[in-house]
Amino acid sequence: ELDDCLPTCVLPTCDDQIQDGDETDVDCGGSCGACAMCEGCTVDADCSTGFCNADDACSFQQRMEVDAETNCWSTTDFANNVVIQDLPAGTYRTTAAASGWTGFPPPWSPPDSGWTWYVECIDVEFTQMITPEGAKYANAATAFANLISETDSFDWPGGDFSCGRFDTVCSDNSGSVIFDLEFVCPADGM
């Protein structure tokens, strides 16, 4: 009973319903198969998602870069959006990266032109990870520095997650907004 065997004196396996051996959660991680979302991990390779978060739980993370010209649309068809297909349902935390965009060519002449930071996603509205409404800045770095908050969160029902930029004229746009999207595991796991 004091060695690596189970109480039945059987060596650990990857299907014994016990977290033993080098597993990072019950019957997964380590030398066993990959762990599912929100199961325990120590390295990215322990996870079916390929991402072990700072809380040692398998999670989902992806960087989104929405270009002001390439991902712009002037109608409601969203044809040019950046899309993550089949994003799992749950709560997500977003973190902005140093970036910004403008819909008008320089020079900066507020309030009519200048740089901002916001992103338009279908069925999601960010209220914190944005620059103040109506404010325009001299460059992308200044816009990013004036975000209300570098983080935001939203609940997602599952399905394709799609972001872009609406503008009646896309050809004079510049820059992009970049943010990281991470699944937030419930406190008690899944």
Side-chain angles (χ1 to χ4, degrees), residues 17-81:
Q17 300 298 307
I18 299 171
Q19 184 177 348
D20 50 14
D22 69 349
E23 299 167 2
T24 57
D25 207 313
V26 176
D27 294 340
C28 70
S31 61
C32 294
C35 293
M37 192 90 90
C38 297
E39 291 183 322
C41 58
T42 56
V43 295
D44 291 343
D46 290 331
C47 303
S48 62
T49 60
F51 177 66
C52 183
N53 70 17
D55 297 325
D56 293 330
C58 293
S59 186
F60 171 88
Q61 182 182 52
Q62 185 163 332
R63 176 158 278 199
M64 297 281 289
E65 181 168 358
V66 184
D67 185 82
E69 185 176 0
T70 305
N71 305 124
C72 180
W73 34 272
S74 57
T75 64
T76 57
D77 64 4
F78 312 110
N80 299 326
N81 277 9

Side-chain angles (χ1 to χ4, degrees), residues 64-67 71-73 78 80-84 101 119-122 124 126 154 160-166 177 179 181:
M64 297 281 289
E65 181 168 358
V66 184
D67 185 82
N71 305 124
C72 180
W73 34 272
F78 312 110
N80 299 326
N81 277 9
V82 176
V83 178
I84 299 174
W101 61 17
V119 63
E120 295 168 310
C121 300
I122 297 173
V124 172
F126 297 112
F154 65 95
D160 293 350
F161 180 71
S162 178
C163 301
R165 177 185 174 126
F166 174 77
V177 290
F179 64 98
L181 182 74

Side-chain angles (χ1 to χ4, degrees), residues 87-94 121-127 152-162 181-186:
L87 188 68
T91 299
Y92 287 83
R93 175 178 44 248
T94 56
C121 300
I122 297 173
D123 297 327
V124 172
E125 182 178 352
F126 297 112
T127 60
D152 215 325
S153 63
F154 65 95
D155 292 321
W156 185 246
D160 293 350
F161 180 71
S162 178
L181 182 74
E182 183 179 334
F183 185 88
V184 178
C185 292

